[in-house]
Amino acid sequence: MENIPTHAPSRGINHVGLTVPDLQKATDFLQKALEAQFVYDGLTDNDDPRKGADTEKQLGLSSGSMIIKQRLLRIGNGPNIELFEIKSEQQEQPVRLQDIGWNHISLYVDDINYAVERVKAAGGRFLSEIHGNSRHEDTENNASVYFQTPWGSLIELQSIPNGYYYPDDSEAETWIPAP
């Protein structure tokens, strides 16, 4: 099934961008809850904010918006997380699952109970108890649960220790981070 051409248009997800109200508090939470590791700062308090007409055009920001801080983190063996602290008069709250647009990231975990305890201790708020997954992920001992970060973004913890099953017309298998 893994039939990826030599010259594929994409090698995969490099990073997921996340705007947060306070970059350091978000970093502290992600490190405590999910063992995120610091990669680098792209913009610090010592740098001038990224702002102006060119920045607004390049990044689709509303007029007057400023990127104050930018940091890259890595969680386990998966895509990087790029954090932005942006000041804007037109800033809105995080989307919910039913809202249009990118609405959550999912982290594969081997021990979901351990992960839940770490997230709770760090200040994450779970939407429910651990529950089963949906079709094609509902093999034995599967588990899933969503939580909100202290700033309201939605993250899913998911474990599928006995793998997935696929329909006959599937073109690829699900990517799972290596242990």
Side-chain angles (χ1 to χ4, degrees), residues 14-18 30 36 71-75 78-83 105 107:
N14 175 269
H15 68 268
V16 175
L18 178 62
L30 293 169
R71 176 172 289 156
L72 199 71
L73 300 176
R74 183 159 176 197
I75 299 174
N80 301 295
I81 305 291
E82 186 176 32
L83 300 178
I105 61 171
L107 302 173

Side-chain angles (χ1 to χ4, degrees), residues 78-90:
N80 301 295
I81 305 291
E82 186 176 32
L83 300 178
F84 292 92
E85 185 175 328
I86 299 175
K87 300 298 179 202
S88 175
E89 291 187 20
Q90 296 185 31

Side-chain angles (χ1 to χ4, degrees), residues 122-157:
R125 186 181 71 77
F126 283 86
L127 304 185
S128 71
E129 298 298 319
I130 296 170
H131 54 82
N133 287 297
S134 56
R135 184 180 319 146
H136 302 292
E137 302 169 347
D138 56 352
T139 54
E140 188 176 351
N141 298 318
N142 74 84
S144 179
V145 65
Y146 286 83
F147 70 90
Q148 286 182 311
T149 63
W151 59 92
S153 293
L154 195 59
I155 298 178
E156 176 185 19
L157 301 176

Side-chain angles (χ1 to χ4, degrees), residues 1-5 8 10-11 136-137 163-176:
M1 248 184 250
E2 258 330 284
N3 189 14
I4 300 173
S10 172
R11 288 178 56 186
H136 302 292
E137 302 169 347
Y164 298 75
Y165 58 95
Y166 302 93
D168 291 339
D169 61 348
S170 181
E171 295 179 340
E173 292 184 3
T174 302
W175 177 80
I176 299 172

